Amino acid sequence: IRIRVAALLMIDDVVQAVDDAATKWVQDRLEQFAVEIKNTTGATRNDYLRVQEQTVDPEPVDLILRDNLKTATRDSDGNPLPTLAGHLYADGGGEFPVTLNKWERTVVDTEIGRQSFVAWYRNPARATAAALRIAYQTDAGDWTSLQPDFVVVSKRDDGSLGVSIVDPHGDHLADAKNKLKALARYAERFGDQFVRIESITEASDGTLRSLDLKEEAVRQAVADFAGAEVATLYESTVSMPFR
């Protein structure tokens, strides 16, 4: 039996069939017990999260925010960090210490200044349960995740709250294209759950340009892009000034 099983596992179609069957079984169980899983806490909750994250294809998982957050208030030299208002977590004065580059700061200031603004969230850079994570594949085919920089909460004209992904996207990184394509695919699949999904970068003239990934034409341009430098997309007609 062992020899036969070993021989079978050397056949690609058999391995794929086993993976497909196992993935479908897990997906069916996660769907069947979705409410019960949401009601778990602590170590049990973490066990379920690990199962969701280990499937062959990434599964949607909940973003689990803490009741409070500890963060640095001074830099490595002991100097106080700059602060911004309106963050989802804040101190007694309504401020949140954060280090941003020039154009990230411009993006946050712009969002805070909108009439519909309610709060913003500095999405963790690490892939934790408190981070909004979007799966993508590297050039080597390995799955990993990108964490968009900012999540913005706004109030719609009917009084309900909506959420947007606002991601200042460095186009100089080696995996910038893979990340942008993944964000576009995410927008296609889950865009109806968000007010906006925007990828932003600094153009060659120093202005900020945005790709509105809820627009089908923009997503198609991203999907079709085969060049090496995604900066081309932000300079093209599918982009718009970030205001």
Side-chain angles (χ1 to χ4, degrees):
I1 292 174
R2 290 176 179 173
I3 292 173
R4 289 178 179 177
V5 171
L8 284 170
L9 293 178
M10 295 180 68
I11 303 173
D12 289 341
D13 289 345
V14 172
V15 174
Q16 187 62 53
V18 172
D19 281 343
D20 291 345
T23 297
K24 186 177 187 309
W25 188 91
V26 171
Q27 289 172 334
D28 289 346
R29 300 292 83 73
L30 291 174
E31 181 178 345
Q32 179 182 356
F33 298 106
V35 174
E36 288 82 357
I37 292 172
K38 288 180 184 294
N39 282 314
T40 60
T41 59
T44 303
R45 178 63 169 161
N46 292 337
D47 287 340
Y48 280 115
L49 285 174
R50 279 193 289 271
V51 171
Q52 291 172 308
E53 292 169 352
Q54 288 173 4
T55 54
V56 176
D57 293 319
E59 287 289 313
V61 298
D62 292 335
L63 193 158
I64 303 173
L65 296 179
R66 300 174 180 175
D67 292 334
N68 50 56
L69 179 70
K70 289 184 179 180
T71 188
T73 59
R74 295 179 179 273
D75 62 21
S76 58
D77 295 324
N79 300 313
L81 291 175
T83 62
L84 279 170
H87 194 271
L88 199 60
Y89 295 95
D91 61 18
E95 298 289 320
F96 180 75
V98 62
T99 301
L100 303 174
N101 64 33
K102 180 180 178 181
W103 53 290
E104 288 174 336
R105 176 66 184 251
T106 299
V107 167
V108 174
D109 285 341
T110 301
E111 295 297 332
I112 292 174
R114 300 190 193 281
Q115 187 175 355
S116 59
F117 174 80
V118 173
W120 65 284
Y121 177 56
R122 180 62 152 117
N123 199 37
R126 295 191 304 112
T128 69
L132 172 63
R133 294 167 284 166
I134 296 174
Y136 77 97
Q137 283 183 291
T138 65
D139 290 336
D142 298 322
W143 282 106
T144 184
S145 68
L146 69 97
Q147 288 72 241
D149 282 346
F150 304 121
V151 177
V152 179
V153 182
S154 58
K155 182 176 288 188
R156 299 186 179 95
D157 58 6
D158 64 358
S160 63
L161 297 180
V163 176
S164 298
I165 295 173
V166 181
D167 186 30
H169 188 91
D171 59 10
H172 61 285
L173 301 175
D175 57 356
K177 182 168 69 174
N178 291 349
K179 288 182 176 180
L180 181 59
K181 287 179 177 285
L183 187 58
R185 289 191 297 270
Y186 184 86
E188 181 175 12
R189 185 176 178 186
F190 300 108
D192 60 344
Q193 300 179 27
F194 296 89
V195 177
R196 293 179 293 137
I197 300 179
E198 292 189 46
S199 180
I200 302 158
T201 199
E202 187 175 36
S204 56
D205 62 0
T207 63
L208 295 183
R209 304 286 299 181
S210 171
L211 295 174
D212 180 358
L213 295 172
K214 288 198 65 175
E215 292 290 332
E216 184 177 357
V218 178
R219 293 197 304 271
Q220 191 61 54
V222 172
D224 293 342
F225 183 74
E229 300 291 337
V230 294
T232 305
L233 284 168
Y234 295 94
E235 304 274 0
S236 72
T237 56
V238 298
S239 74
M240 60 184 179
F242 177 73
R243 297 191 177 95

